[in-house]
Amino acid sequence: MAIRYAVIGTNWITDSWIAAAEKTAKWQLHAVYSRTKEQAEKFASKYACSNLYTSLDDLAGDRELHVIYIASPNNLHYDQAKQMLEAKKHVVLEKPATSTSAELDDLFRIAKEQGVYLIEAYRHIQEANYKLLRKIVVEEKRLGPIYGASFSYCSYSSRYNNVLNGETPNIFSLDFSGGSLVDVGVYPVTFAVALFGRPKTQSYVPTICRTGVDGGGVGILQYDGFGVQINNSKSYQSSAPCEIYGEKGTLTINFTTDIDSLKLWSPHTKTTEELAGPCKRVEKPNVNMEEEAAEFARILQEKDTNALQSLETISRNVLHVTESMRRQAGILYPADK
Amino acid sequence: MAIRYAVIGTNWITDSWIAAAEKTAKWQLHAVYSRTKEQAEKFASKYACSNLYTSLDDLAGDRELHVIYIASPNNLHYDQAKQMLEAKKHVVLEKPATSTSAELDDLFRIAKEQGVYLIEAYRHIQEANYKLLRKIVVEEKRLGPIYGASFSYCSYSSRYNNVLNGETPNIFSLDFSGGSLVDVGVYPVTFAVALFGRPKTQSYVPTICRTGVDGGGVGILQYDGFGVQINNSKSYQSSAPCEIYGEKGTLTINFTTDIDSLKLWSPHTKTTEELAGPCKRVEKPNVNMEEEAAEFARILQEKDTNALQSLETISRNVLHVTESMRRQAGILYPADK
């Protein structure tokens, strides 16, 4: 039986999730929520879905729903997820899960009390090529002892033009728990945390933009015996690849998401080997969330609490890291106060 | 009249300096020093040079010499340079100038007292394409406000094989003031310091190798409003380019030395422009120090104390940064004690 789900948030990311869920044939879009009926109708008209909600109470009360996918502005995640978990709905919550670790702890506690699952939607660590990378580095230890890594996600956002023009788009707003680190910096941070665990310490030097959030910045996660460079931005672009350095070689990865190249260079043979298979990605419509949607369905259907716990640990560690980096740098949200 | 100089140190770098000096036609190799007569003869036999010294006192007393080029092991730089400056010889000192800032301060003080010049041999910031880069970023401000930068020098050293085999080559020895940061990390640090000045703070997370020095590591230089990533290594390789991020674009540079590509990408036009001319580099014999040798000769002949002072400031700032990074990370030399 397909998993019946509703969506909160009517941005492009929700369209992407729906397209990916559909491709897996494991999910069935059952309802759409939006604050206004007009917006709900407009969004739902693209899909065979006639259950429209403008009340979160009514949505939470829909007995036919198993899962709520939430992709609203960051600052609304906590209250919305809390309400849905308390109504015993599983929740797939877009990253960044919440504004603070305290909020995330609370959501995981409620989920456990209610006997439902809370999953943060980190798509990139569900990719087949990411899993291959993890196998090479962590399980097979083909790089030998790790000497360092360099992970980045720096992509100029068209909305940064609005910032330069004096506007404050949600994702560049302190009130909406925005900024580059929590929006795209989480990709390299998750990458590090999923490979190496929670760092001992972390530091962050942001470049603060007109609206008070970080337009981008550089940081270091300190592990036992090595450091991981983090570079993230929505206000500048980088074409540098990601790299993991080890005694037995350097692994060069095209990017922290949508991996389609894993090149392993050996200092001993001076040769480079390509290890990645083709990336599961279709540009238009954007269905690079398919592996994620399939895995989350599997976890729900098989009640795979080990996988669930492992994702929970990653989510907690990532938020611990980004919250610490953000606060050190003086980037404070209303939820921090 | 050609500048008569002697060399201390008979490694490949001295051959490289001699080849570069010869190409400029401004320098004349007058004497070779080595601890043993055999080594001095062997080295000098490649050149038309018959003045061989095995005594530093005798070398210092040679009245025909204008300049001493010193490329001995790092830990010997201070004493040797001091003796030559006190004998009123100009000194060109290979990087890293000294083990500590206190030693460098002392050398600059002596040089001034004696009325001679002390120049640290940072060849990469004398390259024509580096000077073009500096013009683009600092003078013309074509990137607009700076948002960050990422500079690296990570190249697997064949001598790291010796380290893995249980040996301690000089450059990996604490006693010889070695390690990756002072040997190759100085290239990205000098790059940053020459472009942006002395950072407000600096941090370093090294990976320590068997011999107690850093085989490599990552750091951040914090400037007003942005951070500069530093990645350096002699124990792992990186193929990532260097980048400077600004409001008006990203400048991608092939490497911190031997620059032959400066690509400027604009977020507004989404186009990339190549700005670099051909790199002045001949692989064999290695004469990528020609621009440096020509500039140092010019400074000496024209008594260009402005240029001299500017290089002194860079040398002081670089050593201040690397010494702070190194000590924070617990990498201590005999000279630190």
Side-chain angles (χ1 to χ4, degrees), chain A residues 146-151 154 156 158 160-161 164 203-209 216-223 225-231 233 235-241 243 245-247 249-250 252 265 267-268 270, chain B residues 146-151 154 156 158 160-161 164 203-209 216-223 225-231 233 235-241 243 245-247 249-250 252 265 267-268 270:
Chain A
I146 298 300
Y147 288 168
S150 191
F151 298 145
C154 299
Y156 190 88
S158 60
Y160 190 64
N161 295 331
L164 292 176
S203 62
Y204 189 47
V205 179
T207 172
I208 301 292
C209 65
V218 295
I220 295 179
L221 312 187
Q222 183 169 7
Y223 287 93
F226 66 92
V228 175
Q229 289 189 310
I230 301 291
N231 190 1
S233 174
S235 62
Y236 57 82
Q237 190 105 348
S238 167
S239 58
E243 295 182 317
Y245 317 111
E247 187 168 306
T250 295
T252 303
W265 176 84
H268 305 297
K270 311 279 180 198
Chain B
I146 298 300
Y147 287 169
S150 190
F151 298 145
C154 299
Y156 189 89
S158 60
Y160 190 64
N161 294 331
L164 292 176
S203 62
Y204 189 46
V205 179
T207 173
I208 300 292
C209 65
V218 295
I220 296 179
L221 313 187
Q222 184 169 8
Y223 287 92
F226 66 92
V228 174
Q229 289 189 312
I230 300 292
N231 190 2
S233 173
S235 63
Y236 57 82
Q237 189 105 349
S238 167
S239 58
E243 296 182 316
Y245 317 111
E247 187 169 306
T250 294
T252 303
W265 177 84
H268 304 297
K270 312 280 181 200

Side-chain angles (χ1 to χ4, degrees), chain A residues 201-276:
Chain A
T201 65
Q202 49 276 318
S203 62
Y204 189 47
V205 179
T207 172
I208 301 292
C209 65
R210 223 206 68 257
T211 60
V213 300
D214 51 328
V218 295
I220 295 179
L221 312 187
Q222 183 169 7
Y223 287 93
D224 237 346
F226 66 92
V228 175
Q229 289 189 310
I230 301 291
N231 190 1
N232 76 95
S233 174
K234 295 178 74 71
S235 62
Y236 57 82
Q237 190 105 348
S238 167
S239 58
C242 297
E243 295 182 317
I244 305 175
Y245 317 111
E247 187 168 306
K248 293 184 183 166
T250 295
L251 189 67
T252 303
I253 308 141
N254 58 300
F255 202 56
T256 34
T257 67
D258 306 293
I259 299 172
D260 56 17
S261 174
L262 295 173
K263 287 192 162 65
L264 179 58
W265 176 84
S266 158
H268 305 297
T269 63
K270 311 279 180 198
T271 56
T272 300
E273 199 182 344
E274 173 59 75
L275 303 171

